[in-house]
Amino acid sequence: MTCFSRITGTGSYLPPRRLTNADLVAELAAGGVETSDEWIVERTGIRARHFAAADVSSSDLGVEAAKKALEAAGLEPSDIDLIIVATSTPDMVFPSVACILQNKLGIAGCAAFDVQAVCSGFVYALTVADALIKTGSATKALVIGAEVFSRILDFSDRTTCVLFGDGAGAVVLEASDTPGILASDLHADGKHVGILCVPGHVSGGKVLGDPLLKMDGPAVFKLAVGVLESAARATLAKANLTDADIDWLIPHQANIRIMQSTAKKLKMPLEKLIVTVDQHGNTSAASIPLALDVSVRSGKIKKGDTLMLEGVGGGFTWGAVLLNY
Ligand code: UT7
């Protein structure tokens, strides 16, 4: 009996409209908001991001990433028996992006649902898929992170609108008799809801409250650097491995300073840190599978490498997945 799960294919998709910092600075200046390429690069490492067109939703981005992951795994959509989408920017209040995406893939019948853990969503979703495969409830899963954060940005707030982008990443996770996912570690602390949230909600046919992203950046920064180290260490301990066993660290791509500080705490040379935040900005739940796919396709990550994936974000949520690719 197989009792492990392994990634057998990766894929990603970015909407074609790419804005460099210079493009965004010019657009914001037209609306009276002052920022600069220098500030954005120095404080975050971000140089460009992609924004989806107004009629493009998370399921549209996610389905493109999913098709590429299926192709890489050599599977057809009809082979899939579980779809989990990590997103905080769903197409509708309900049904889930996973159900909409299932239909866009032209399949029906398999389990499909969303996971909402903001920027930790992908490590949450991967852990859930791994558990369902290990218990025999699924054999071939699509795990997707897909976001259109541009929809929830307040373009009059320079402290947040320069940070985020849109995109999607996907993996195929299959039952295997050799270990792929080695260990994972998930956490949340709901007392920090207010430091990163979109407080609006739908009620009586209206949106009540403010449906735009609010973030206390320095508070999130401080929490993030601590929990990313502790989650990595807990995951390594569960797998009986040490820092030195990690070939590649793929943290949530929010801020290069947080990512480098995590690598240093794990005593990893910065060459082992996967960085795509410069080109994608913060794509929330999509950032880890996007970074994974880019690095697999560039030949950086190879079969057999040990990867540490780490998410952190609103909730407050955080977690890590250690895997043999
Ligand atoms: O995805 C979930 C996880 N999210 C994160 O991990 C984000 C964590 N936080 C961060 O990455 C950082 O806190 C930020 C990048 C958001 C902010 O960087 P910071 O170094 O913490 O800057 P700050 O918020 O302390 O602001 C420093 C200064 C302020 O000016 P004063 O008060 O010192 O005069 C801000 O008003 O920078 C100013 N500022 C800007 N200036 C130009 C803030 N945003 C901008 C901007 N352009 N876009």
Side-chain angles (χ1 to χ4, degrees):
M1 191 186 136
T2 52
C3 55
F4 300 106
S5 76
R6 261 202 114 82
I7 292 177
T8 57
T10 67
S12 61
Y13 181 77
L14 290 159
R17 185 169 172 237
R18 177 176 184 269
L19 284 93
T20 62
N21 286 348
D23 297 330
L24 187 62
V25 167
E27 280 198 12
L28 292 173
V33 174
E34 207 183 304
T35 182
S36 65
D37 171 55
E38 195 188 12
W39 188 95
I40 301 169
V41 172
E42 192 183 298
R43 299 295 179 118
T44 72
I46 298 167
R47 293 179 186 277
R49 75 286 293 140
H50 291 247
F51 283 164
D55 58 348
V56 169
S57 58
S58 288
S59 68
D60 293 318
L61 303 182
V63 78
E64 295 306 321
K67 283 180 191 166
K68 290 182 187 167
L70 284 166
E71 193 187 348
L75 295 181
E76 294 298 324
S78 56
D79 295 322
I80 293 299
D81 55 15
L82 171 67
I83 301 173
I84 307 181
V85 177
T87 188
S88 303
T89 47
D91 300 20
M92 305 178 188
V93 171
F94 69 79
S96 65
V97 172
C99 286
I100 298 168
L101 187 148
Q102 183 203 51
N103 187 46
K104 286 181 178 170
L105 276 178
I107 56 174
C110 72
F113 61 94
D114 289 357
V115 162
Q116 219 285 36
V118 202
C119 304
S120 310
F122 187 75
V123 293
Y124 266 69
L126 201 56
T127 302
V128 172
D130 173 54
L132 288 171
I133 287 175
K134 281 182 175 150
T135 55
S137 300
T139 59
K140 291 181 173 61
L142 264 174
V143 185
I144 300 158
E147 303 279 16
V148 283
F149 257 55
S150 59
R151 300 287 151 72
I152 52 168
L153 296 179
D154 177 353
F155 285 98
S156 68
D157 175 9
R158 69 177 185 173
T159 69
T160 54
C161 71
V162 300
L163 306 174
F164 295 89
D166 302 338
V171 302
V172 171
L173 193 71
E174 291 191 57
S176 161
D177 39 18
T178 55
I181 292 186
L182 304 170
S184 60
D185 188 59
L186 302 180
H187 298 275
D189 184 349
K191 75 169 169 287
H192 299 295
V193 164
I195 63 171
L196 178 47
C197 59
V198 177
H201 64 280
V202 176
S203 174
K206 293 194 179 90
V207 175
L208 299 186
D210 189 343
L212 299 176
L213 185 146
K214 314 277 168 230
M215 179 166 74
D216 177 347
V220 173
F221 193 107
K222 210 171 142 198
L223 280 172
V225 289
V227 299
L228 286 172
E229 185 192 8
S230 63
R233 296 218 172 279
T235 315
L236 286 166
K238 285 181 191 177
N240 255 329
L241 295 177
T242 68
D243 307 356
D245 294 308
I246 305 171
D247 292 311
W248 298 104
L249 176 64
I250 314 183
H252 168 48
Q253 309 278 315
N255 186 319
I256 191 71
R257 292 185 291 140
I258 297 175
M259 295 160 59
Q260 289 178 342
S261 139
T262 306
K264 279 180 199 151
K265 285 183 174 182
L266 296 174
K267 299 183 188 62
M268 295 185 63
L270 292 183
E271 302 77 66
K272 291 185 170 192
L273 176 66
I274 299 289
V275 178
T276 51
V277 68
D278 56 331
Q279 295 304 317
H280 303 162
N282 180 346
T283 57
S284 193
S287 91
I288 295 172
L290 251 167
L292 172 64
D293 182 54
V294 166
S295 310
V296 164
R297 284 173 194 265
S298 73
K300 213 173 203 183
I301 292 178
K302 298 191 172 54
K303 281 279 165 213
D305 284 352
T306 300
L307 315 182
M308 175 68 79
L309 315 186
E310 289 207 273
V312 59
F316 204 68
T317 55
W318 66 99
V321 175
L322 183 68
L323 63 93
N324 184 270
Y325 176 68

